[in-house]
Amino acid sequence: MNSSFLKPLTVVILLASLTACNGLKDRTLDYIGKRPTTGQFFTEDETSLVELNYDAGDEIAGMLNKRLPAGSPITVQLFRLRGNPLVTDFAKITTEQVASRIAQKGFAVVADASHYPTKAKDEDMPDPVKCVLTGAYSIGPYSIFLTAAVTTVDEGQIIGSWDWTVPLNKNTRSLLPHDEDNPLVPMVNTTSPYQDDNPDKNKASINQDSFTPAPGFEENIR
């Protein structure tokens, strides 16, 4: 074959190859994005813990407005980690924030309900009802699942409850222990916040793990 004919043919083949490579490169960039491969793969949810807990407190308080007589005292129990006896900073902070929000809405969140009256001051008003705020949480792979409820002490009736999730991010992880002897294995449990995990015990355990609210709660009475 004539060499003068091969040279133009070679140039045409090279140009076609370069065009194909450039097209493949563009399609690849469209597929994987144009960010460096060392960039952040997932965006961590940094929603404020207090914001989510206050939202839960708002929802519970809204239910109490319709069902709880004025002046009814609400004691507080530390929220518990289902299936684990550990007391965590996450539990303490979440309990405080939910209880604080309910108190901000005008309810009597108290450390001791024994000295509160059991009769209404006005005969036309219903008698106060002693209640307890309890909660429980489970740790999932990416979120923490929480349940909180306000329950009457005498009858064990739930008069306000809410379920919500908070992201398992660097902030919430810092409130959970990382002791190798007591690993927090991700788990999800849908039992009620005041129900014992032991299947042999079905009664509410409202007299255990009491929690003393910060000073000032008792002054905020609806």
Side-chain angles (χ1 to χ4, degrees), residues 77-218:
Q77 290 185 19
L78 186 66
F79 290 7
R80 65 186 183 88
L81 172 62
R82 292 188 178 95
N84 198 313
L86 287 176
V87 175
T88 66
D89 287 338
F90 176 83
K92 294 176 183 178
I93 290 174
T94 299
T95 305
E96 290 171 355
Q97 290 176 351
V98 175
S100 175
R101 189 58 170 176
I102 293 174
Q104 290 171 23
K105 293 298 180 178
F107 294 92
V109 178
V110 303
D112 182 7
S114 62
H115 62 278
Y116 274 77
T118 57
K119 294 293 183 180
K121 295 180 179 179
D122 191 333
E123 294 182 356
D124 297 330
M125 298 293 292
D127 294 333
V129 177
K130 293 182 179 181
C131 299
V132 58
L133 169 66
T134 58
Y137 64 101
S138 300
I139 303 170
Y142 309 106
S143 303
I144 302 174
F145 302 85
L146 299 104
T147 298
V150 172
T151 309
T152 60
V153 172
D154 292 337
E155 299 177 355
Q157 179 185 6
I158 296 177
I159 56 176
S161 65
W162 194 249
D163 305 313
W164 73 106
T165 62
V166 301
L168 187 61
N169 55 29
K170 62 182 180 181
N171 294 324
T172 52
R173 282 192 186 95
S174 68
L175 302 175
L176 298 168
H178 299 283
D179 186 353
E180 294 182 359
D181 296 331
N182 294 295
L184 293 181
V185 179
M187 56 180 294
V188 177
N189 190 315
T190 57
T191 58
S192 106
Y194 53 85
Q195 181 178 356
D196 198 301
D197 286 320
N198 187 333
D200 295 330
K201 297 180 181 179
N202 295 319
K203 284 189 174 182
S205 177
I206 61 174
N207 294 320
Q208 298 179 1
D209 300 325
S210 61
F211 175 75
T212 302
F217 276 131
E218 297 190 28

Side-chain angles (χ1 to χ4, degrees), residues 38-50:
T38 55
Q40 186 177 0
F41 190 71
F42 292 108
T43 301
E44 188 171 71
D45 187 343
E46 297 183 351
T47 306
S48 170
L49 178 61
V50 66

